[in-house]
Amino acid sequence: MEQTTPTQQPKKLFTNKPKRFNNRRTFDRGRKPPHPGGPIDIMAEPLEKKTAHIPAPLPGVIRVIPLGGVEEIGKNMTVIEIGDDIIVIDAGMHFANENTPGIDYVIPNTRYLEERKDKIRALIITHGHLDHIGGVPLVLSRIGNPPVYSRNLTILMTQKRQAEFSHLPPMNPIIVETDQTVKIGELTIKFWGVTHTIPDSMGIIIETPYGNIVTPGDYKLDQVDGIVSEREEQEYAQFDNANNLLLLTDSTNIENEGFSLAEIKVHQGIEAILRREKNNRIFIAAFASHITRLIRIVEIAEELGKKIVVEGRSMKTNIDVITQAGLLKPSKGLIIPVEDIEKYPPDRILVLITGAQGEEFGALNRAANKTNKKLTLRKGDRIILSASVIPGNERQVQAMKDGLSRQGVKIISYRTPGEDFVHATGHGNKEDIKWLHRKMHAKFFVPIHGHHYHLELHKELAMELGMLEANIVVPDNGSIIEITHDGTKIGVRKEKAPSSPMMVDGFSVGDEQNVVIRDRQMLAEDGMFVVMAVIDQKTGMLRKSPDIISRGFVYLKENQELLRQTRILTKRTIEASSKNLNPNNLDNIKNIVGETISKYLLQKTAKRPLVIPVILLM
Amino acid sequence: MEQTTPTQQPKKLFTNKPKRFNNRRTFDRGRKPPHPGGPIDIMAEPLEKKTAHIPAPLPGVIRVIPLGGVEEIGKNMTVIEIGDDIIVIDAGMHFANENTPGIDYVIPNTRYLEERKDKIRALIITHGHLDHIGGVPLVLSRIGNPPVYSRNLTILMTQKRQAEFSHLPPMNPIIVETDQTVKIGELTIKFWGVTHTIPDSMGIIIETPYGNIVTPGDYKLDQVDGIVSEREEQEYAQFDNANNLLLLTDSTNIENEGFSLAEIKVHQGIEAILRREKNNRIFIAAFASHITRLIRIVEIAEELGKKIVVEGRSMKTNIDVITQAGLLKPSKGLIIPVEDIEKYPPDRILVLITGAQGEEFGALNRAANKTNKKLTLRKGDRIILSASVIPGNERQVQAMKDGLSRQGVKIISYRTPGEDFVHATGHGNKEDIKWLHRKMHAKFFVPIHGHHYHLELHKELAMELGMLEANIVVPDNGSIIEITHDGTKIGVRKEKAPSSPMMVDGFSVGDEQNVVIRDRQMLAEDGMFVVMAVIDQKTGMLRKSPDIISRGFVYLKENQELLRQTRILTKRTIEASSKNLNPNNLDNIKNIVGETISKYLLQKTAKRPLVIPVILLM
């Protein structure tokens, strides 16, 4: 007979969990390494066509579907469908959060595209950030692997992402430049350069008979104190006399007044700090994706005669990619391995490090927790947190700062009073957005990135700028927007493209994980409680006292009496109803036992564990 | 034989979970109603004395122990021990977060006090907020139910809290006023009035032979643009020539420059909005604990001829308590039941509502989700979010704003540009803190509230103001601080009082929940996987194909092949090692099966469910 000892927590012999569960931040963003490249999608593909009821757009109609990015920040993906051609813009991801325990990350729903593969001519990427490229490998493999168009650095970043999925077919990249016009299917497409935190960011212009569809991707203006640079004016000059039909753009910072802080002010701020704190080791924790800043920091460090240590996987990867792209040309010996850090005096050390969000396994957080074997902080070290705190990460960032401050370091963050600027957003604020609308003077407007509230505020702003309400659509993920009547009307179809997020959960990718996630949430709240009994089929009596397996419910060691009473109650409940039993009505007994035990446990503990009765007839 | 159908998710017949698990925000703060008053502490009390190694303070020594509040925001509790007398200041709580799934709330560790009950003379409460009174009922019952001293409203609020635990003995309240001097044990104790967001907030002065121990509790200055009111100057005038030995105070807002925004500016701001938006229904979502503001809003509403609807349990409770305390005197018919809301035109309706943090079951969030049966929002309603977003709640507040904006309401928050002020913090900013230090000119300083980083910044500030580093202690929860040598030295003992947080988890309260929480976190990430097999003891073969019960792992419906293979593998693994089996080496087979199945599932799914093998010999 099964010998679970119900008086102690069963040993966790079989789980082999690494240090992942150190009682902190289990549901962190980015807590897991990216997809390890194993066999994707063990699920059977559902055969049923889920979008068959959605007709193809009529001739002359322009269809636009945001498949991701409009009910969230992240997982951007927008579909443009005209005639026989579908163009997909971006294929991003976002990280899981406390509502999606155990999930690795989330990508847009691709069903609409999967069922129209033969029409898909291209995936065009605006820039190389994960919220625009993170879903590329999985999306490409689902939509027939169309060619991927973008500028050089973006293609390199996307290939790096693709390389994490080595079992998937390689992508077919086509590098474009901003002075190029490409013909994709029947469509003529052009590009222009925009300012973001990563070089080679570009906007997209799709020509149509009624005018252009334009989207800048993520952008801010290259301006200082509201004066837009000449370079930027030149990039946008082509729109002055353009016939723009539809503007698709970002609402992330619609709540922020004024123009976004110029990145150059941050470069100046960081340089000033480096010059002022010249006797101390400097750690700069920045987003590894903030390529523009990384490049400038490396330059400043070289000017000041410092050696650079690069810490954290994504930071190393990105420094490699931008070096390969020729955007960074560090002189020999400038970047040193972390092992050599003690060979130089403090005033010669600058560490570029990941983990400004307090991510559980981020290099800086491990240093804060003293679990970073390669890197030990010292009293007097200066830690520049050159990043904003992503909403939802506040508590983990606070915990990291607490850990850092215990080690006698000085933390300089964008909240530190009197310090120079150490961070600026990469997205345009309200004035940047207004400038864009005026420059584009498009007939129609669809906001394609942000939470719903942001989109509504953006709509209000567009109306303040003179746009008609009827010419604006605030979409949801999956909204099928159409421009009809020779480009004079915009509206939303009554059908909707499937839009529930695709969850990447280990090797599985699917949009039907809700049941699994709900169970995880229940288990996380109250744990589980398996009660097992074997009924003697001759006597209807139990062969022995029931066994109990429970995890995550109560501290069993201190609840022996509860377990004893539960066993007695189980035995009594079964034996009261097991007269003339046959295997066919075991289910009934299971139901009774489950209900009885659930009620009893709730009454005694105020907890509702997932009760699973296992009853055998032998 | 057990008939679990392994090809589908077993039905959740036995859990009876209410709508709590609607796939959102499972680990919300405040998601659960307060303790329902059932049987507390089914755990056996550990007999072992955990603090026996800590000697009593020597004669002439002043001992101070922050048992909570210095590694977090919340669960404030500070112990003062002099000679034979122990005074406890405050007994707060904080809510659970994503690191403590399933936990209801957390209170300070009381073991040090439990083992010194006979010395405890009083619990003195500074003010009636949950982070200072939320732990009172459970703490009192553990430390011998000493008398509770505070001012009138605080006592009423604490009694309201106590009433939720009807099985506990009633508390013994002693109402004090700020002009009173009380003798508690051998100690002489005085009070003074401080400004916070709730009336009757008070500071505490404990006289000692070397000078006073002073703590203001939570406070901000009653000032406008840096000019402190006469009333406030009078309250603090007594300190001008006082001999203050030790200042214990709060560091919450140490990172905020300047003085805190005056509450009167918020009152003016809200009044201005009410006058401007006079044709619309107004909803004001505020902290129910912000009594000062609630009182003023009710007054303004009455002046403007509006009817008031009070929505949300804690809002109703607090309106009741302050009416009972005589702080609110609403004229008859001013407050109307929610059912009558449609009887008045929009311009006559003001709704005071809970849920500004987007709490899952907050009244406003339910209105945003259209699950608030009593309250339906209408296009044109004005929603004033008269509260800051507590760190960690950003995502749920965003989700609520999205839901609200879908209903055509206008949201006015403290971020809304160009609007009047709608919220101010209740804690002093840096200039308030500096003013306090100068006014108190104490010899020693111990920060007693905030995250460690805040405490360190506060220490830096105190040194800038001229205090010696040797006279400042930055404590952890449980640090035993002593003032020795006739009041000339302060230091920390090497022993520490037990300080791991006491988790309130249903009816259980304990400081050893780590195992349970770790299991919940594992279950939340990867779920569970029970594999059951019955071995025929004569043949060593399985009696039938193994059964599988799994939850929260993979979507079983689409993973039938995986389950089939797992059953085959289980059978093969068992039968390969079940020759000459006797019940005593079943454990060995269980280990082998567990390891084999864990490895197999990891390889196939990249997930690590909690694998539980159940193997019976029959």
Side-chain angles (χ1 to χ4, degrees), chain A residues 14 17 25 27 99 256 395 415 505 526 598 607 610, chain B residues 14 17 25 27 99 256 415 505 526 551 598 607:
Chain A
F14 312 128
K17 278 276 173 185
R25 287 188 288 288
F27 306 147
N99 300 325
N256 296 356
R395 273 198 286 259
R415 279 197 71 178
D505 187 14
D526 299 276
S598 290
K607 303 291 291 179
L610 211 143
Chain B
F14 312 128
K17 277 276 176 190
R25 286 187 288 288
F27 306 147
N99 301 324
N256 295 358
R415 278 197 71 178
D505 186 14
D526 300 278
R551 299 285 176 92
S598 290
K607 303 291 290 180

PDB file of all heavy atoms in Angstrom, chain A residues 14 17 25 27 99 256 395 415 505 526 598 607 610, chain B residues 14 17 25 27 99 256 415 505 526 551 598 607:
ATOM      1  N   PHE A  14      11.451  14.770  -6.699  1.00  0.00           N
ATOM      2  CA  PHE A  14      11.335  14.545  -8.138  1.00  0.00           C
ATOM      3  C   PHE A  14      11.280  15.812  -8.961  1.00  0.00           C
ATOM      4  O   PHE A  14      11.032  15.770 -10.150  1.00  0.00           O
ATOM      5  CB  PHE A  14      10.084  13.736  -8.427  1.00  0.00           C
ATOM      6  CG  PHE A  14       9.978  12.546  -7.544  1.00  0.00           C
ATOM      7  CD1 PHE A  14       8.831  12.290  -6.818  1.00  0.00           C
ATOM      8  CD2 PHE A  14      11.066  11.689  -7.412  1.00  0.00           C
ATOM      9  CE1 PHE A  14       8.755  11.192  -5.988  1.00  0.00           C
ATOM     10  CE2 PHE A  14      10.993  10.590  -6.590  1.00  0.00           C
ATOM     11  CZ  PHE A  14       9.829  10.338  -5.876  1.00  0.00           C
ATOM     12  N   LYS A  17      13.952  21.289  -9.071  1.00  0.00           N
ATOM     13  CA  LYS A  17      13.888  22.722  -9.369  1.00  0.00           C
ATOM     14  C   LYS A  17      15.212  23.363  -8.996  1.00  0.00           C
ATOM     15  O   LYS A  17      15.729  23.151  -7.918  1.00  0.00           O
ATOM     16  CB  LYS A  17      12.783  23.371  -8.522  1.00  0.00           C
ATOM     17  CG  LYS A  17      11.417  23.204  -9.109  1.00  0.00           C
ATOM     18  CD  LYS A  17      11.142  24.280 -10.143  1.00  0.00           C
ATOM     19  CE  LYS A  17       9.824  23.962 -10.826  1.00  0.00           C
ATOM     20  NZ  LYS A  17       9.532  24.867 -11.914  1.00  0.00           N
ATOM     21  N   ARG A  25       9.525  36.665  -6.037  1.00  0.00           N
ATOM     22  CA  ARG A  25       9.265  37.016  -7.415  1.00  0.00           C
ATOM     23  C   ARG A  25       9.159  35.854  -8.373  1.00  0.00           C
ATOM     24  O   ARG A  25       9.867  35.786  -9.371  1.00  0.00           O
ATOM     25  CB  ARG A  25      10.386  37.929  -7.923  1.00  0.00           C
ATOM     26  CG  ARG A  25      10.295  39.319  -7.355  1.00  0.00           C
ATOM     27  CD  ARG A  25      11.280  40.189  -8.041  1.00  0.00           C
ATOM     28  NE  ARG A  25      12.644  39.890  -7.659  1.00  0.00           N
ATOM     29  CZ  ARG A  25      13.149  40.187  -6.499  1.00  0.00           C
ATOM     30  NH1 ARG A  25      12.437  40.773  -5.602  1.00  0.00           N
ATOM     31  NH2 ARG A  25      14.397  39.885  -6.241  1.00  0.00           N
ATOM     32  N   PHE A  27       6.831  35.241 -10.360  1.00  0.00           N
ATOM     33  CA  PHE A  27       6.190  35.551 -11.626  1.00  0.00           C
ATOM     34  C   PHE A  27       6.843  36.732 -12.327  1.00  0.00           C
ATOM     35  O   PHE A  27       6.224  37.454 -13.081  1.00  0.00           O
ATOM     36  CB  PHE A  27       4.708  35.849 -11.403  1.00  0.00           C
ATOM     37  CG  PHE A  27       4.023  34.751 -10.671  1.00  0.00           C
ATOM     38  CD1 PHE A  27       2.994  35.026  -9.805  1.00  0.00           C
ATOM     39  CD2 PHE A  27       4.428  33.441 -10.835  1.00  0.00           C
ATOM     40  CE1 PHE A  27       2.363  34.013  -9.130  1.00  0.00           C
ATOM     41  CE2 PHE A  27       3.803  32.422 -10.159  1.00  0.00           C
ATOM     42  CZ  PHE A  27       2.768  32.710  -9.305  1.00  0.00           C
ATOM     43  N   ASN A  99      -0.758  37.584 -13.755  1.00  0.00           N
ATOM     44  CA  ASN A  99      -2.005  36.967 -14.213  1.00  0.00           C
ATOM     45  C   ASN A  99      -1.775  35.742 -15.087  1.00  0.00           C
ATOM     46  O   ASN A  99      -2.731  35.072 -15.462  1.00  0.00           O
ATOM     47  CB  ASN A  99      -2.841  37.979 -14.990  1.00  0.00           C
ATOM     48  CG  ASN A  99      -3.182  39.172 -14.135  1.00  0.00           C
ATOM     49  OD1 ASN A  99      -3.404  39.034 -12.936  1.00  0.00           O
ATOM     50  ND2 ASN A  99      -3.190  40.346 -14.735  1.00  0.00           N
ATOM     51  N   ASN A 256       1.952  61.935 -20.968  1.00  0.00           N
ATOM     52  CA  ASN A 256       3.090  62.771 -20.566  1.00  0.00           C
ATOM     53  C   ASN A 256       3.088  64.093 -21.320  1.00  0.00           C
ATOM     54  O   ASN A 256       3.146  64.117 -22.552  1.00  0.00           O
ATOM     55  CB  ASN A 256       4.412  62.053 -20.841  1.00  0.00           C
ATOM     56  CG  ASN A 256       4.559  60.787 -20.012  1.00  0.00           C
ATOM     57  OD1 ASN A 256       3.699  60.487 -19.176  1.00  0.00           O
ATOM     58  ND2 ASN A 256       5.623  60.048 -20.248  1.00  0.00           N
ATOM     59  N   ARG A 395       7.954  46.772  -7.014  1.00  0.00           N
ATOM     60  CA  ARG A 395       8.334  46.105  -5.774  1.00  0.00           C
ATOM     61  C   ARG A 395       9.679  45.411  -5.906  1.00  0.00           C
ATOM     62  O   ARG A 395      10.482  45.420  -4.986  1.00  0.00           O
ATOM     63  CB  ARG A 395       7.256  45.108  -5.348  1.00  0.00           C
ATOM     64  CG  ARG A 395       6.162  45.760  -4.513  1.00  0.00           C
ATOM     65  CD  ARG A 395       5.372  44.711  -3.749  1.00  0.00           C
ATOM     66  NE  ARG A 395       4.499  43.981  -4.616  1.00  0.00           N
ATOM     67  CZ  ARG A 395       3.176  44.203  -4.737  1.00  0.00           C
ATOM     68  NH1 ARG A 395       2.600  45.136  -4.019  1.00  0.00           N
ATOM     69  NH2 ARG A 395       2.446  43.494  -5.552  1.00  0.00           N
ATOM     70  N   ARG A 415      15.187  59.352 -10.066  1.00  0.00           N
ATOM     71  CA  ARG A 415      14.526  60.064  -8.979  1.00  0.00           C
ATOM     72  C   ARG A 415      15.513  60.792  -8.082  1.00  0.00           C
ATOM     73  O   ARG A 415      15.108  61.555  -7.219  1.00  0.00           O
ATOM     74  CB  ARG A 415      13.733  59.085  -8.108  1.00  0.00           C
ATOM     75  CG  ARG A 415      12.388  58.723  -8.667  1.00  0.00           C
ATOM     76  CD  ARG A 415      11.505  58.107  -7.594  1.00  0.00           C
ATOM     77  NE  ARG A 415      11.078  59.096  -6.601  1.00  0.00           N
ATOM     78  CZ  ARG A 415      10.269  58.822  -5.586  1.00  0.00           C
ATOM     79  NH1 ARG A 415       9.830  57.600  -5.413  1.00  0.00           N
ATOM     80  NH2 ARG A 415       9.915  59.756  -4.724  1.00  0.00           N
ATOM     81  N   ASP A 505       4.442  28.458 -23.291  1.00  0.00           N
ATOM     82  CA  ASP A 505       4.478  27.816 -21.975  1.00  0.00           C
ATOM     83  C   ASP A 505       5.362  26.583 -22.117  1.00  0.00           C
ATOM     84  O   ASP A 505       4.897  25.521 -22.505  1.00  0.00           O
ATOM     85  CB  ASP A 505       3.039  27.423 -21.596  1.00  0.00           C
ATOM     86  CG  ASP A 505       2.930  26.893 -20.173  1.00  0.00           C
ATOM     87  OD1 ASP A 505       3.881  27.061 -19.397  1.00  0.00           O
ATOM     88  OD2 ASP A 505       1.869  26.316 -19.841  1.00  0.00           O
ATOM     89  N   ASP A 526      -4.457  28.146  -2.721  1.00  0.00           N
ATOM     90  CA  ASP A 526      -4.868  27.244  -1.645  1.00  0.00           C
ATOM     91  C   ASP A 526      -4.261  25.852  -1.744  1.00  0.00           C
ATOM     92  O   ASP A 526      -4.570  24.991  -0.915  1.00  0.00           O
ATOM     93  CB  ASP A 526      -6.405  27.123  -1.651  1.00  0.00           C
ATOM     94  CG  ASP A 526      -7.085  28.455  -1.416  1.00  0.00           C
ATOM     95  OD1 ASP A 526      -7.224  28.833  -0.261  1.00  0.00           O
ATOM     96  OD2 ASP A 526      -7.450  29.123  -2.396  1.00  0.00           O
ATOM     97  N   SER A 598     -13.987  18.956   1.026  1.00  0.00           N
ATOM     98  CA  SER A 598     -13.818  20.379   0.713  1.00  0.00           C
ATOM     99  C   SER A 598     -14.489  21.241   1.770  1.00  0.00           C
ATOM    100  O   SER A 598     -13.913  22.207   2.274  1.00  0.00           O
ATOM    101  CB  SER A 598     -14.434  20.714  -0.652  1.00  0.00           C
ATOM    102  OG  SER A 598     -13.675  20.142  -1.671  1.00  0.00           O
ATOM    103  N   LYS A 607      -9.568  27.732   4.013  1.00  0.00           N
ATOM    104  CA  LYS A 607      -8.884  27.585   2.724  1.00  0.00           C
ATOM    105  C   LYS A 607      -9.687  26.622   1.840  1.00  0.00           C
ATOM    106  O   LYS A 607     -10.394  25.752   2.342  1.00  0.00           O
ATOM    107  CB  LYS A 607      -7.475  27.017   2.913  1.00  0.00           C
ATOM    108  CG  LYS A 607      -6.575  27.819   3.827  1.00  0.00           C
ATOM    109  CD  LYS A 607      -6.152  29.166   3.266  1.00  0.00           C
ATOM    110  CE  LYS A 607      -5.197  29.083   2.089  1.00  0.00           C
ATOM    111  NZ  LYS A 607      -4.862  30.450   1.600  1.00  0.00           N
ATOM    112  N   LEU A 610      -7.651  22.538  -3.859  1.00  0.00           N
ATOM    113  CA  LEU A 610      -8.199  21.709  -4.920  1.00  0.00           C
ATOM    114  C   LEU A 610      -8.225  20.276  -4.386  1.00  0.00           C
ATOM    115  O   LEU A 610      -7.183  19.636  -4.232  1.00  0.00           O
ATOM    116  CB  LEU A 610      -7.244  21.822  -6.104  1.00  0.00           C
ATOM    117  CG  LEU A 610      -7.814  21.706  -7.483  1.00  0.00           C
ATOM    118  CD1 LEU A 610      -7.076  22.682  -8.386  1.00  0.00           C
ATOM    119  CD2 LEU A 610      -7.672  20.323  -8.026  1.00  0.00           C
TER     120      LEU A 610
ATOM    121  N   PHE B  14     -15.356  19.804  -6.850  1.00  0.00           N
ATOM    122  CA  PHE B  14     -15.273  19.820  -5.398  1.00  0.00           C
ATOM    123  C   PHE B  14     -14.732  21.115  -4.820  1.00  0.00           C
ATOM    124  O   PHE B  14     -14.487  21.211  -3.647  1.00  0.00           O
ATOM    125  CB  PHE B  14     -14.385  18.675  -4.938  1.00  0.00           C
ATOM    126  CG  PHE B  14     -14.751  17.413  -5.605  1.00  0.00           C
ATOM    127  CD1 PHE B  14     -13.816  16.641  -6.257  1.00  0.00           C
ATOM    128  CD2 PHE B  14     -16.088  17.003  -5.623  1.00  0.00           C
ATOM    129  CE1 PHE B  14     -14.177  15.482  -6.880  1.00  0.00           C
ATOM    130  CE2 PHE B  14     -16.448  15.835  -6.255  1.00  0.00           C
ATOM    131  CZ  PHE B  14     -15.490  15.075  -6.889  1.00  0.00           C
ATOM    132  N   LYS B  17     -15.184  27.085  -5.840  1.00  0.00           N
ATOM    133  CA  LYS B  17     -14.582  28.420  -5.830  1.00  0.00           C
ATOM    134  C   LYS B  17     -15.609  29.415  -6.349  1.00  0.00           C
ATOM    135  O   LYS B  17     -16.211  29.196  -7.384  1.00  0.00           O
ATOM    136  CB  LYS B  17     -13.376  28.450  -6.765  1.00  0.00           C
ATOM    137  CG  LYS B  17     -12.144  27.915  -6.120  1.00  0.00           C
ATOM    138  CD  LYS B  17     -11.451  28.986  -5.306  1.00  0.00           C
ATOM    139  CE  LYS B  17     -10.267  28.356  -4.600  1.00  0.00           C
ATOM    140  NZ  LYS B  17      -9.677  29.250  -3.611  1.00  0.00           N
ATOM    141  N   ARG B  25      -5.604  38.866 -11.677  1.00  0.00           N
ATOM    142  CA  ARG B  25      -5.160  39.399 -10.391  1.00  0.00           C
ATOM    143  C   ARG B  25      -5.397  38.478  -9.213  1.00  0.00           C
ATOM    144  O   ARG B  25      -6.033  38.851  -8.233  1.00  0.00           O
ATOM    145  CB  ARG B  25      -5.878  40.718 -10.111  1.00  0.00           C
ATOM    146  CG  ARG B  25      -5.348  41.847 -10.944  1.00  0.00           C
ATOM    147  CD  ARG B  25      -5.949  43.128 -10.509  1.00  0.00           C
ATOM    148  NE  ARG B  25      -7.336  43.240 -10.873  1.00  0.00           N
ATOM    149  CZ  ARG B  25      -7.747  43.425 -12.094  1.00  0.00           C
ATOM    150  NH1 ARG B  25      -6.895  43.532 -13.089  1.00  0.00           N
ATOM    151  NH2 ARG B  25      -9.022  43.520 -12.350  1.00  0.00           N
ATOM    152  N   PHE B  27      -3.330  37.502  -7.079  1.00  0.00           N
ATOM    153  CA  PHE B  27      -2.568  37.808  -5.876  1.00  0.00           C
ATOM    154  C   PHE B  27      -2.742  39.260  -5.447  1.00  0.00           C
ATOM    155  O   PHE B  27      -1.875  39.862  -4.864  1.00  0.00           O
ATOM    156  CB  PHE B  27      -1.081  37.514  -6.111  1.00  0.00           C
ATOM    157  CG  PHE B  27      -0.860  36.135  -6.585  1.00  0.00           C
ATOM    158  CD1 PHE B  27       0.166  35.845  -7.454  1.00  0.00           C
ATOM    159  CD2 PHE B  27      -1.694  35.106  -6.168  1.00  0.00           C
ATOM    160  CE1 PHE B  27       0.369  34.560  -7.890  1.00  0.00           C
ATOM    161  CE2 PHE B  27      -1.496  33.819  -6.612  1.00  0.00           C
ATOM    162  CZ  PHE B  27      -0.468  33.549  -7.474  1.00  0.00           C
ATOM    163  N   ASN B  99       4.639  37.579  -3.941  1.00  0.00           N
ATOM    164  CA  ASN B  99       5.587  36.656  -3.329  1.00  0.00           C
ATOM    165  C   ASN B  99       4.964  35.803  -2.230  1.00  0.00           C
ATOM    166  O   ASN B  99       5.632  34.919  -1.693  1.00  0.00           O
ATOM    167  CB  ASN B  99       6.764  37.433  -2.734  1.00  0.00           C
ATOM    168  CG  ASN B  99       7.483  38.237  -3.787  1.00  0.00           C
ATOM    169  OD1 ASN B  99       7.600  37.803  -4.923  1.00  0.00           O
ATOM    170  ND2 ASN B  99       7.933  39.415  -3.428  1.00  0.00           N
ATOM    171  N   ASN B 256      11.178  62.193  -1.823  1.00  0.00           N
ATOM    172  CA  ASN B 256      10.408  63.286  -2.433  1.00  0.00           C
ATOM    173  C   ASN B 256      10.911  64.646  -1.967  1.00  0.00           C
ATOM    174  O   ASN B 256      10.909  64.942  -0.775  1.00  0.00           O
ATOM    175  CB  ASN B 256       8.924  63.152  -2.064  1.00  0.00           C
ATOM    176  CG  ASN B 256       8.303  61.901  -2.636  1.00  0.00           C
ATOM    177  OD1 ASN B 256       8.955  61.135  -3.349  1.00  0.00           O
ATOM    178  ND2 ASN B 256       7.055  61.664  -2.312  1.00  0.00           N
ATOM    179  N   ARG B 415      -2.501  62.415 -12.472  1.00  0.00           N
ATOM    180  CA  ARG B 415      -1.665  62.610 -13.662  1.00  0.00           C
ATOM    181  C   ARG B 415      -2.360  63.454 -14.723  1.00  0.00           C
ATOM    182  O   ARG B 415      -1.739  63.840 -15.708  1.00  0.00           O
ATOM    183  CB  ARG B 415      -1.311  61.263 -14.292  1.00  0.00           C
ATOM    184  CG  ARG B 415      -0.151  60.576 -13.617  1.00  0.00           C
ATOM    185  CD  ARG B 415       0.400  59.494 -14.519  1.00  0.00           C
ATOM    186  NE  ARG B 415       1.101  60.044 -15.685  1.00  0.00           N
ATOM    187  CZ  ARG B 415       1.705  59.301 -16.606  1.00  0.00           C
ATOM    188  NH1 ARG B 415       1.689  58.005 -16.495  1.00  0.00           N
ATOM    189  NH2 ARG B 415       2.311  59.853 -17.628  1.00  0.00           N
ATOM    190  N   ASP B 505      -3.153  33.048   7.009  1.00  0.00           N
ATOM    191  CA  ASP B 505      -3.470  32.207   5.848  1.00  0.00           C
ATOM    192  C   ASP B 505      -4.739  31.449   6.204  1.00  0.00           C
ATOM    193  O   ASP B 505      -4.681  30.387   6.823  1.00  0.00           O
ATOM    194  CB  ASP B 505      -2.289  31.262   5.615  1.00  0.00           C
ATOM    195  CG  ASP B 505      -2.443  30.449   4.335  1.00  0.00           C
ATOM    196  OD1 ASP B 505      -3.297  30.793   3.510  1.00  0.00           O
ATOM    197  OD2 ASP B 505      -1.674  29.473   4.176  1.00  0.00           O
ATOM    198  N   ASP B 526       4.199  25.443 -12.756  1.00  0.00           N
ATOM    199  CA  ASP B 526       4.214  24.257 -13.607  1.00  0.00           C
ATOM    200  C   ASP B 526       3.140  23.233 -13.267  1.00  0.00           C
ATOM    201  O   ASP B 526       3.066  22.199 -13.913  1.00  0.00           O
ATOM    202  CB  ASP B 526       5.595  23.585 -13.520  1.00  0.00           C
ATOM    203  CG  ASP B 526       6.714  24.502 -13.978  1.00  0.00           C
ATOM    204  OD1 ASP B 526       6.927  24.600 -15.188  1.00  0.00           O
ATOM    205  OD2 ASP B 526       7.346  25.146 -13.135  1.00  0.00           O
ATOM    206  N   ARG B 551      -3.087  18.932 -13.062  1.00  0.00           N
ATOM    207  CA  ARG B 551      -3.703  20.261 -13.085  1.00  0.00           C
ATOM    208  C   ARG B 551      -2.611  21.309 -13.256  1.00  0.00           C
ATOM    209  O   ARG B 551      -1.545  21.198 -12.641  1.00  0.00           O
ATOM    210  CB  ARG B 551      -4.427  20.561 -11.750  1.00  0.00           C
ATOM    211  CG  ARG B 551      -5.546  19.626 -11.410  1.00  0.00           C
ATOM    212  CD  ARG B 551      -6.783  19.890 -12.249  1.00  0.00           C
ATOM    213  NE  ARG B 551      -7.803  18.896 -11.936  1.00  0.00           N
ATOM    214  CZ  ARG B 551      -8.733  19.068 -11.004  1.00  0.00           C
ATOM    215  NH1 ARG B 551      -8.774  20.202 -10.324  1.00  0.00           N
ATOM    216  NH2 ARG B 551      -9.610  18.129 -10.753  1.00  0.00           N
ATOM    217  N   SER B 598       9.514  12.838 -14.292  1.00  0.00           N
ATOM    218  CA  SER B 598       9.900  14.259 -14.273  1.00  0.00           C
ATOM    219  C   SER B 598      10.807  14.579 -15.450  1.00  0.00           C
ATOM    220  O   SER B 598      10.617  15.571 -16.151  1.00  0.00           O
ATOM    221  CB  SER B 598      10.644  14.593 -12.980  1.00  0.00           C
ATOM    222  OG  SER B 598       9.766  14.557 -11.892  1.00  0.00           O
ATOM    223  N   LYS B 607       8.568  21.867 -19.053  1.00  0.00           N
ATOM    224  CA  LYS B 607       7.931  22.242 -17.792  1.00  0.00           C
ATOM    225  C   LYS B 607       8.346  21.245 -16.703  1.00  0.00           C
ATOM    226  O   LYS B 607       8.662  20.092 -17.006  1.00  0.00           O
ATOM    227  CB  LYS B 607       6.400  22.221 -17.917  1.00  0.00           C
ATOM    228  CG  LYS B 607       5.809  23.098 -18.991  1.00  0.00           C
ATOM    229  CD  LYS B 607       5.943  24.583 -18.725  1.00  0.00           C
ATOM    230  CE  LYS B 607       5.076  25.076 -17.601  1.00  0.00           C
ATOM    231  NZ  LYS B 607       5.268  26.549 -17.388  1.00  0.00           N
TER     232      LYS B 607
END
